[in-house]
Amino acid sequence: MSKTVVIAGAGHGAGQVVAALKQHEFDGRIVMIGDEPYLPYQRPPLSKKYLAGDMAPERLYFKPESFYDDPQIEVLLNTRVTSIDRSAHTVSTDGGREIAYDKLVLALGSRVREVPVAGADLPGIHYLRSIADVDAIRADMLSRKNAVIVGAGYIGLEVAAVCCQHGLSVTVIELADRVMSRVVSPNVSDYYQLQHTERGVKLLLSTGLAGFEGKRRVRKVLTNTGQELPADFVVVGVGILPNTELAEAAGLECDDGIVVDDRCQTADPDIFAIGDCTSHPNAIYGRQLRLESVHNALEQAKTAAGNICGVESHYSQVPWFWSDQFDIKLQIAGLSEGYDEVVLRGDPSGGSFACFYLADGVLIAVDAINSPREFMQSKTLIASGARPDPGKLADPEIPLKDLG
């Protein structure tokens, strides 16, 4: 086993690396370095239960503080890795430390995509990525009335739902002509648009952001259609970007993420990478993928830790994601990009249904709305490359397990 494993990053995936190394009885030194003041915590609840006030801060943490109270583990918070010297096997930090490694894990995560428009630096304009971000949004949510959300993806709609449930006037602007257009079919978009508008959320589709106005803080959102929307605060959710700069500066291959193999290993055998910042091969879809998913980060963390400890491990998973909006749970298995046929199972008006995506007859993805059984069973069918009969797939009376 390696003597020292350094983990650059202290997010959820980094915490899983530490846990997996301990499970494999790694007996060396572990150094985890993160630029936030927090131990590894879960990000998905931030825009859901934590923003709503239904989850205490301590419940966000991946492991309790006592988990890291181990002479084997050193945790450096409020610290950023600034460079990697691959030949010397060292990393440097912004605090001036130089730390030697035998194996290095890059768990660098991602950052929000910012909007380059006039007034973007006004107080009251928020992005959502960290605990501190959500604390600031929640303070505005509890003290103000008019919320404008820029972007109708998962984050934007989750924030819109929470704000609406707290009695705010909520407007969402979206450049595309439907919500969640990158990840779901028009059938599912239509369902979510109806659910939001029936609850009072105003959706402005095919509408772009032109700028912000205000003196001491934001007061208006300007659109490319000439509208001026009153805004006491704004939440921008227009995507994220992988943090690859450190790897690029070290000469590692990056292509929409740090390129790794199915062992989560870069071209440098002593450097691994996991999570949002990686581009990895997926055998199910036959191409490189970069996934913004906690499931991906956790499973890659287990894979990397196993290989560091000499346990041959290969990452091959059906991607999955979820979104909670109001009392509606959307669970997505697989990737629907490239589908040529959509099959609905169940009645959307009943509040529980599934939308299946096929390409050349092969099931490649499912959107399950308040339908956990279809979600779970579809993961197996997708992994096996199943070719279900569309007519039977649409029949709720026929168990999915019989269609493999």
Side-chain angles (χ1 to χ4, degrees):
M1 290 187 182
S2 304
K3 294 180 180 178
T4 299
V5 173
V6 171
I7 307 167
H12 201 164
Q16 180 63 68
V17 173
V18 176
L21 289 171
K22 293 181 73 170
Q23 288 169 353
H24 285 294
E25 300 182 345
F26 175 74
D27 58 3
R29 179 181 176 223
I30 302 170
V31 183
M32 183 174 63
I33 306 167
D35 59 4
E36 288 191 66
Y38 313 105
L39 290 168
Y41 63 90
Q42 307 170 70
R43 293 191 193 274
L46 292 180
S47 56
K48 306 175 182 72
K49 289 187 176 182
Y50 185 68
L51 177 61
D54 296 334
M55 176 180 279
E58 58 269 20
R59 289 183 56 206
L60 287 173
Y61 290 99
F62 175 62
K63 295 285 186 181
E65 186 175 356
S66 58
F67 175 80
Y68 306 94
D69 187 17
D70 183 325
Q72 180 185 4
I73 302 170
E74 181 179 3
V75 179
L76 302 176
L77 301 178
N78 290 311
T79 304
R80 186 170 57 88
V81 176
T82 55
S83 64
I84 303 166
D85 187 330
R86 290 167 55 190
S87 59
H89 276 62
T90 61
V91 298
S92 298
T93 73
D94 55 0
R97 285 189 61 178
E98 190 175 271
I99 302 170
Y101 66 85
D102 293 288
K103 301 292 183 184
L104 172 64
V105 180
L106 302 178
L108 303 171
S110 54
R111 63 189 181 279
V112 295
R113 187 187 298 273
E114 299 184 0
V115 288
V117 297
D121 58 347
L122 285 169
I125 298 173
H126 305 281
Y127 293 86
L128 197 159
R129 192 65 185 157
S130 68
I131 290 175
D133 294 336
V134 179
D135 288 344
I137 295 169
R138 181 165 171 77
D140 273 352
M141 186 181 76
L142 296 178
S143 62
R144 302 182 187 275
K145 182 62 179 175
N146 296 309
V148 175
I149 315 299
V150 180
Y154 295 143
I155 295 296
L157 293 183
E158 288 170 0
V159 173
V162 173
C163 288
C164 181
Q165 289 173 309
H166 279 72
L168 277 70
S169 173
V170 183
T171 302
V172 179
I173 68 171
E174 167 59 47
L175 187 59
D177 61 358
R178 57 187 180 89
V179 304
M180 297 189 291
S181 61
R182 288 195 310 120
V183 292
V184 302
S185 69
N187 313 68
V188 178
S189 291
D190 289 346
Y191 175 80
Y192 273 89
Q193 286 165 201
L194 179 63
Q195 299 307 310
H196 277 266
T197 55
E198 283 188 339
R199 289 168 170 84
V201 176
K202 186 176 182 181
L203 297 174
L204 300 181
L205 305 175
S206 301
T207 302
L209 174 68
F212 303 104
E213 282 188 357
K215 292 183 178 179
R216 290 185 177 87
R217 61 177 288 124
V218 67
R219 292 301 179 195
K220 291 181 181 178
V221 175
L222 310 180
T223 75
N224 66 353
T225 58
Q227 293 169 284
E228 297 184 0
L229 309 174
D232 295 323
F233 70 97
V234 175
V235 180
V236 180
V238 292
I240 62 176
L241 298 169
N243 291 325
T244 59
E245 293 80 3
L246 187 66
E248 290 171 0
L252 296 172
E253 182 184 359
C254 297
D255 182 8
D256 187 33
I258 303 167
V259 176
V260 297
D261 60 17
D262 66 356
R263 302 176 76 251
C264 297
Q265 193 172 43
T266 69
D268 184 323
D270 294 325
I271 301 180
F272 295 77
I274 65 166
D276 289 5
C277 67
T278 68
S279 172
H280 67 275
N282 185 286
I284 295 170
Y285 295 97
R287 64 180 189 271
Q288 289 285 124
L289 298 178
R290 186 178 69 80
L291 299 175
E292 300 164 8
S293 155
V294 67
H295 165 254
N296 173 66
L298 295 178
E299 293 302 321
Q300 284 192 318
K302 296 173 186 177
T303 300
N307 287 309
I308 288 170
C309 293
V311 179
E312 189 68 21
S313 303
H314 298 270
Y315 177 57
S316 179
Q317 300 271 334
V318 174
W320 61 268
F321 317 85
W322 82 96
S323 178
D324 293 331
Q325 300 168 38
F326 302 110
D327 57 351
I328 309 161
K329 179 175 285 292
L330 167 64
Q331 294 171 292
I332 298 177
L335 301 172
S336 60
E337 181 183 353
Y339 71 88
D340 53 32
E341 185 175 3
V342 174
V343 177
L344 284 182
R345 182 183 180 95
D347 183 1
S349 65
S352 175
F353 67 102
C355 181
F356 296 89
Y357 301 86
L358 297 96
D360 295 325
V362 178
L363 180 64
I364 59 172
V366 63
D367 299 335
I369 293 84
N370 292 332
S371 189
R373 182 174 59 183
E374 275 72 17
F375 168 70
M376 292 300 296
Q377 294 179 348
S378 292
K379 287 197 290 185
T380 301
L381 295 177
I382 294 167
S384 68
R387 293 176 170 272
D389 176 85
K392 294 179 178 178
L393 193 60
D395 187 348
E397 299 301 317
I398 300 177
L400 286 180
K401 60 183 178 63
D402 295 343
L403 301 181

